[in-house]
Amino acid sequence: MSLDKPYLDIPGTTVFDADLARKGYHLNSFCMSLMKADNRTRFKAGERAYLDEWQMTEEQKQGVLARDYNRLIELGGNIYFLAKIFATDGKSFQYAAASMTGMSQEAYAKMMLSGGRSPKEDGACKAPETR
Amino acid sequence: MAQLTAGIACSHVPAIGAAMDLGKTAEPYWVPLFKGFEPSRRWMVQNTPDVVFLVYNDHATAFSLDMIPTFAIGCAEEFKPADEGWGPRPVPVVKGHPELASHITQSVIQSDFDLTIVNRMDVDHGLTVPLSLMFGQPSAWPCRVIPFAVNVVQYPPPSGNRCYQLGSAIRRAIDSFDADLKVQIWGTGGMSHQLQGPRAGLINKDFDTQFLDKLVSDPESLARIAHVQYIREAGSEGIELVMWLIMRGALDAQVREVHRFYHVPASNTAVGHMILENAR
């Protein structure tokens, strides 16, 4: 019997569940390696060669090279692991979040200052569901 | 006997730690946020505990995908601030309380909550940012800390109800510890935020306000909120709020709200904070 996944229809949102975690294991392990300064240096010196040390799919490697975070999330990347990539690039969480929304960082920052993205805009908030 | 003296809810946005570490707290962007914690620091001077039981989540720092404990209790003598990719935060080493932590572990497991025991672990911003917010920038933290890490990274986290019940088991464990200690429990993370995908930047002030209200008056209704409802209404990372329910579950049914603060934004996140004392 398949698992109940009531979160699949939420717009603009990918839930890092067990299936995605399995798919993204090597990608996220690569990200984790960037916690070490030596590895960051080696990655920066030759991204492709460093990526080839990991059992990632070609799509995942391309996603990293392009810093396409939405694509990487689809391919099993988790945001807290992907954060190691943009930290290595010297970029902030707000920069990365903005890049995933398709907004400029400036427009995104302005949206946050005026209270953030409204939950009403995408109709994802249904009537309260309780178990 | 040990006594649970207060519960504190507090967001743990990494940018707040960076603002403090880099001396940016007087910048206009950050002034309102730190102002909201001034009453908390004054309260804390009068109410410094011996031990903080600090519920937080690790952000792919101590736990990679290699091991993902749902509930992990830190029983070590000390915990170093982690290098999260840009060097460790310049904050004091966190001193644990191995005796109380071990006591709580044994008691809580015997109450059917199967904890993972951790004797070596670095702690990331999830734990150190609340300490910085509540204590400022001392050369040593003024109390011991028992780190309690909850998985909210790989779905599903534990349910709100499980967290609430666990809080109650932790309370019974603290109450039965045979030493004269003042203990606080902190629940960190939240409030509404989403860090990923085209929906990043989501903030839901109505949801957060209701959550804060009910944290005081009707926590059992919060314990019934399903995961999917958190994701829809509070954003994919808003689900961290289940950790607040561990804190609330450890307090008495009747509590007194000592302080409340809510602020949008800190980076991508709605910051919520509350100090609760048992009413009796």
Side-chain angles (χ1 to χ4, degrees):
Chain A
M1 207 173 94
S2 63
L3 291 165
D4 183 26
K5 295 189 174 186
Y7 44 79
L8 293 179
D9 67 340
I10 303 174
T13 304
T14 305
V15 172
F16 185 68
D17 63 10
D19 289 328
L20 277 176
R22 185 172 43 75
K23 205 171 154 186
Y25 176 74
H26 293 293
L27 165 61
N28 291 311
S29 298
F30 145 74
C31 294
M32 204 68 195
S33 76
L34 298 177
M35 298 272 285
K36 293 201 170 102
D38 290 353
N39 290 339
R40 292 196 287 270
T41 308
R42 284 208 301 121
F43 174 64
K44 283 184 196 169
E47 295 197 1
R48 178 72 216 198
Y50 189 85
L51 288 168
D52 284 339
E53 295 172 21
W54 298 86
Q55 291 175 48
M56 294 158 58
T57 64
E58 182 58 27
E59 264 184 307
Q60 289 172 333
K61 292 178 189 175
Q62 291 299 334
V64 174
L65 293 169
R67 304 296 193 268
D68 184 345
Y69 294 111
N70 281 331
R71 184 85 185 110
L72 288 170
I73 285 169
E74 245 174 73
L75 299 171
N78 171 274
I79 190 61
Y80 293 119
F81 290 82
L82 299 176
K84 317 300 180 194
I85 304 176
F86 56 78
T88 299
D89 290 339
K91 304 288 192 188
S92 69
F93 239 112
Q94 198 170 71
Y95 167 88
S99 85
M100 287 180 274
T101 63
M103 300 168 80
S104 69
Q105 195 182 353
E106 197 187 2
Y108 180 88
K110 205 172 151 197
M111 173 181 81
M112 293 316 299
L113 277 171
S114 37
R117 180 183 307 284
S118 164
K120 295 190 180 85
E121 84 176 33
D122 58 20
C125 298
K126 292 182 182 169
E129 293 175 45
T130 49
R131 289 188 309 145
Chain B
M1 300 294 273
Q3 194 195 346
L4 186 76
T5 54
I8 294 178
C10 183
S11 301
H12 59 216
V13 184
I16 295 173
M20 291 182 71
D21 300 343
L22 302 172
K24 293 182 175 173
T25 57
E27 289 184 3
Y29 183 90
W30 291 110
V31 165
L33 179 114
F34 289 103
K35 203 170 166 53
F37 283 84
E38 281 171 10
S40 318
R41 289 188 190 166
R42 284 197 298 273
W43 176 89
M44 190 56 93
V45 171
Q46 304 298 319
N47 295 278
T48 310
D50 299 301
V51 186
V52 171
F53 188 91
L54 205 158
V55 181
Y56 75 110
N57 68 285
D58 178 82
H59 303 75
T61 304
F63 303 115
S64 64
L65 291 189
D66 290 346
M67 281 178 271
I68 309 173
T70 294
F71 296 118
I73 185 163
C75 295
E77 285 173 8
E78 62 175 43
F79 306 89
K80 293 194 174 67
D83 181 348
E84 297 178 54
W86 50 86
R89 289 193 62 210
V91 294
V93 168
V94 173
K95 301 287 182 187
H97 198 298
E99 297 83 6
L100 179 58
S102 305
H103 170 89
I104 292 173
T105 302
Q106 182 154 337
S107 170
V108 165
I109 292 174
Q110 283 172 335
S111 303
D112 297 337
F113 290 90
D114 308 315
L115 307 184
T116 297
I117 298 157
V118 182
N119 287 311
R120 194 175 65 188
M121 173 169 75
D122 289 349
V123 287
D124 72 11
H125 69 268
L127 183 128
T128 61
V129 165
L131 289 174
S132 297
L133 277 169
M134 295 303 296
F135 295 126
Q137 294 171 297
S139 55
W141 299 120
C143 62
R144 308 293 188 99
V145 177
I146 298 173
F148 191 85
V150 179
N151 166 45
V152 297
V153 172
Q154 179 173 328
Y155 188 92
S159 72
N161 186 51
R162 184 75 176 151
C163 289
Y164 189 66
Q165 300 297 330
L166 169 61
S168 154
I170 291 167
R171 170 65 180 279
R172 292 194 297 275
I174 292 169
D175 284 349
S176 67
F177 187 66
D178 210 11
D180 194 18
L181 291 176
K182 288 195 212 82
V183 182
Q184 289 178 1
I185 183 164
W186 297 9
T188 72
M191 297 190 81
S192 59
H193 66 305
Q194 175 150 339
L195 301 174
Q196 51 111 353
R199 199 177 183 233
L202 183 110
I203 299 287
N204 191 340
K205 189 179 178 185
D206 291 344
F207 178 93
D208 291 342
T209 306
Q210 264 198 39
F211 197 94
L212 287 163
D213 289 346
K214 289 189 174 173
L215 194 65
V216 181
S217 62
D218 188 13
E220 289 185 3
S221 75
L222 298 182
R224 290 192 295 270
I225 298 176
H227 285 143
V228 68
Q229 189 184 345
Y230 282 107
I231 302 171
R232 287 186 193 286
E233 303 212 15
S236 51
E237 279 64 54
I239 207 163
E240 290 177 352
L241 285 167
V242 295
M243 293 187 289
W244 290 26
L245 295 174
I246 298 178
M247 177 275 287
R248 185 62 182 89
L251 297 172
D252 289 357
Q254 302 295 319
V255 293
R256 180 170 51 247
E257 181 181 329
V258 176
H259 178 54
R260 178 195 295 216
F261 176 61
Y262 183 76
H263 175 75
V264 178
S267 186
N268 305 284
T269 306
V271 172
H273 168 47
M274 196 173 252
I275 301 177
L276 297 170
E277 289 175 343
N278 289 326
R280 63 183 154 79

